[in-house]
Amino acid sequence: VYSLDGLLVFGLLLVCTCAYLRKVPRLKAWLLSEKRGVWGVFYKAAVIGTRLHLAVAVSCVLMAFYVLMVK
């Protein structure tokens, strides 16, 4: 997380993980029920992941290409 590309990878992984966890009913009620505060970050990441799923998927593919081939 000490560089820009590390921060982007961390953000993409957070968004993808929260969007996946939103599909699991028990975890949705437990982890993604708060919309404010520290736990609200997970809720907002899940909303971003579900609403912008195409842009997040393309970003993940581009970041994977960057990390594997360029870096």
Side-chain angles (χ1 to χ4, degrees):
V1 184
Y2 296 112
S3 62
L4 180 62
D5 57 345
L7 187 64
L8 290 175
V9 168
F10 178 76
L12 280 172
L13 286 175
L14 179 73
V15 168
C16 292
T17 303
C18 289
Y20 177 75
L21 291 178
R22 188 173 179 162
K23 299 294 181 184
V24 180
R26 286 188 182 203
L27 292 176
K28 181 181 179 182
W30 177 69
L31 184 65
L32 303 172
S33 62
E34 292 292 325
K35 296 181 182 178
R36 293 179 147 187
V38 176
W39 292 104
V41 173
F42 298 117
Y43 172 78
K44 291 173 185 175
V47 169
I48 290 170
T50 54
R51 290 187 184 171
L52 299 175
H53 61 277
L54 184 61
V56 171
V58 170
S59 299
C60 286
V61 169
L62 290 175
M63 186 56 72
F65 177 76
Y66 172 74
V67 168
L68 292 175
M69 300 297 176
V70 177
K71 189 173 179 186

